[in-house]
Amino acid sequence: MEQNLTEVVLHLVFQLAVILCAAKVGGEIAERFLKQPAVLGELVMGMLIGPFFLGQYIHLPHVGALFPPPVGHTPIAVSGELWAFAQVAVIILLFIAGLETDLGNFLRYGAKAFVIGLGGVIAPFFLGAWATSVFTEYGIMSPMALFMGSAMTATSVGITARVLSDIHKLGTPEGVSILAAAVIDDVLGLLVLAIVIAMAAGAAVDEAGLARPNDLGGLAAADETGHAAADGEQPGLDWGKLGWVALKAFGIWIGVTAAGIFSAKYIERLFSAFKSSGAKITLSLALCFLISAFVELFGLAMIIGAYSIGLGLSQTAMSKEIIKEMEGLYHALVPVFFVVMGMLVSFPAMREEVVFGIVLSLLAIASKVFGCGLPALGLGFNVRGATRIGLGMLPRGEVALIIAGMGLARGAIDTGLFGVVIMMTVVTTFLAPVLLVPAFRGGDGLKSS
């Protein structure tokens, strides 16, 4: 029976109450007793109270299980309402991360970040596809192997931004390079995924040149009716469309960032004209949500838009005022995202391919540490700084799960391979804060001139 609106809201409110309490308990344990960032405790609590563990056994009147197990194969194991709330929370996190980023350092290290981000996509993609061909019967160029490689390329900007913010390292050369490279990883990962989907199956392409999210394929040949190639036909990869997607993706990201930087003083002047209480934070959030939605319409993640507009406003005098006013909102909402991230961990799926999962996790670590760290060594960072950058690019987070979910929905990977991605995501996500915090202790990360 379909729930009415009151029951949906009641269920969500119960969930948020439990999530916030669990987040603070987990964060307290992590910080006080384990000497680790609070995000680690939040992730663990999400796993404990989530739909794959305790959440499915806690029943509430009128609404049923607190966190019911998902129906069918889906990487998003929570309700649409809770997932949407968590996405708003991570948008706020990346907006604040942008506000706290040193714009001068960002512009100074932007070109270096591109090279680092490129290394952080190429190495994981090929290692992921190769490992799949070794541990399964699929070839290295099969859709199965390519989807696994795509899942390896992702970097969770939200997790890294949270850790860097907690240890006050967002404005350092390494911190700026990590966030910029992670954003570039998202853009490049979009292009890699488009190629993989296109090679897996042909599908319609919409007028904007982006693959329709509800179709079975991506950037491939389609007939004039907009339907995929008939059964038995081998779809051709439309490199012109793919090039257009690449141009559009980078163009939108660079355009939004540049527009935010050059219009910041005018935005500040406009917002300062409002004298009512809380006007600046309200209008800033409205702008953040607007830009986030805009970039999503063009195929990029909303968090990229949030970070870009936050970066543009970081040069204004009001940025510190906004950060201070948003501090309470940050502590109340952002932990929800990380608890929900922990809820996505499926223990049954992880058991199916343990050996392959361990190997892929090790390759996931090595491919980011060396794939990003080695280019950083040649770009002015010393071994300490390069290690920090490699570790900062480590967590895969929700992006890898979503990519794997797309492969599962299309039949490109099975539940066993999906479980491998889950294991790889869990390992990299949990290791990142554990290793990143001590890595930032010590001296400077730049080579002495």
Side-chain angles (χ1 to χ4, degrees):
M1 181 181 295
E2 188 174 338
Q3 290 181 308
N4 62 40
L5 186 58
T6 301
E7 290 174 341
V8 170
V9 175
L10 178 64
H11 198 176
L12 178 62
V13 170
F14 269 124
Q15 289 178 329
L16 291 176
V18 173
I19 285 172
L20 289 173
C21 290
K24 289 309 169 188
V25 170
E28 184 77 10
I29 293 173
E31 288 186 334
R32 181 186 292 187
F33 302 107
L34 304 179
K35 307 303 179 184
Q36 296 295 330
V39 63
L40 194 62
E42 292 162 7
L43 289 166
V44 172
M45 293 304 291
M47 295 170 65
L48 292 177
I49 68 172
F52 297 106
F53 198 53
L54 299 179
Q56 60 181 312
Y57 303 114
I58 304 172
H59 285 261
L60 303 170
H62 304 293
V63 296
L66 179 64
F67 298 105
V71 178
H73 299 297
T74 171
I76 310 302
V78 297
S79 67
E81 299 80 23
L82 182 57
W83 179 252
F85 195 97
Q87 294 309 297
V88 171
V90 76
I91 286 172
I92 291 173
L93 167 62
L94 267 295
F95 179 55
I96 295 176
L99 289 170
E100 292 180 339
T101 300
D102 186 307
L103 179 60
N105 271 347
F106 182 88
L107 296 176
R108 180 181 177 187
Y109 292 100
K112 296 178 180 181
F114 179 83
V115 178
I116 293 169
L118 195 61
V121 168
I122 294 174
F125 178 76
F126 284 105
L127 283 177
W130 171 78
T132 304
S133 70
V134 171
F135 281 87
T136 69
E137 71 275 15
Y138 307 122
I140 192 170
M141 292 302 293
S142 67
M144 299 76 178
L146 296 178
F147 261 103
M148 295 296 284
S150 297
M152 290 271 281
T153 65
T155 293
S156 178
V157 188
I159 293 171
T160 299
R162 172 69 183 276
V163 176
L164 292 175
S165 178
D166 286 350
I167 61 177
H168 308 291
K169 298 296 182 181
L170 273 173
T172 62
E174 298 96 317
V176 170
S177 298
I178 289 169
L179 286 189
V183 169
I184 291 167
D185 260 11
D186 259 5
V187 178
L188 293 175
L190 170 72
L191 303 181
V192 170
L193 183 60
I195 296 173
V196 170
I197 292 175
M199 295 177 71
V205 175
D206 65 16
E207 292 178 357
L210 292 172
R212 294 175 184 170
N214 293 326
D215 287 335
L216 291 178
L219 302 167
D223 61 24
E224 62 266 19
T225 63
H227 291 91
D231 290 342
E233 294 182 26
Q234 183 66 28
L237 190 61
D238 191 333
W239 290 102
K241 289 289 187 184
L242 185 62
W244 173 238
V245 170
L247 183 64
K248 180 176 290 187
F250 278 101
I252 291 297
W253 171 52
I254 293 172
V256 167
T257 303
I261 292 172
F262 289 114
S263 63
K265 62 180 180 182
Y266 303 106
I267 294 173
E268 181 179 32
R269 192 177 304 165
L270 175 63
F271 288 2
S272 298
F274 288 80
K275 302 303 179 185
S276 56
S277 177
K280 287 181 183 177
I281 183 175
T282 303
L283 293 172
S284 297
L285 275 177
L287 180 63
C288 167
F289 293 148
L290 180 65
I291 298 300
S292 299
F294 173 78
V295 300
E296 179 75 23
L297 288 176
F298 283 90
L300 297 180
M302 287 186 284
I303 54 177
I304 293 178
Y307 180 75
S308 296
I309 193 61
L311 181 66
L313 296 179
S314 67
Q315 61 183 310
T316 64
M318 70 175 183
S319 62
K320 289 184 173 58
E321 181 182 347
I322 296 172
I323 292 172
K324 185 176 180 180
E325 290 183 354
M326 292 185 69
E327 187 174 350
L329 191 64
Y330 175 95
H331 288 298
L333 295 186
V334 170
V336 174
F337 170 74
F338 294 102
V339 174
V340 170
M341 279 294 304
M343 291 180 178
L344 303 184
V345 176
S346 171
F347 300 104
M350 289 172 59
R351 287 198 300 263
E352 296 181 20
E353 297 278 358
V354 176
V355 176
F356 183 21
I358 292 172
V359 172
L360 197 74
S361 298
L362 293 174
L363 290 176
I365 296 168
S367 62
K368 286 289 185 179
V369 171
F370 293 104
C372 298
L374 290 178
L377 275 176
L379 295 170
F381 292 94
N382 57 27
V383 174
R384 183 184 291 111
T387 302
R388 291 169 179 169
I389 289 173
L391 294 175
M393 299 291 287
L394 194 58
R396 297 321 199 265
E398 76 288 356
V399 183
L401 295 177
I402 291 172
I403 291 174
M406 293 173 67
L408 189 65
R410 287 164 172 78
I413 63 174
D414 55 25
T415 54
L417 291 182
F418 183 67
V420 171
V421 175
I422 290 176
M423 183 179 295
M424 179 271 294
T425 302
V426 171
V427 171
T428 57
T429 298
F430 276 84
L431 275 181
V434 172
L435 300 176
L436 196 56
V437 174
F440 267 93
R441 297 177 187 140
D444 188 43
L446 296 174
K447 292 179 181 177
S448 55
S449 53

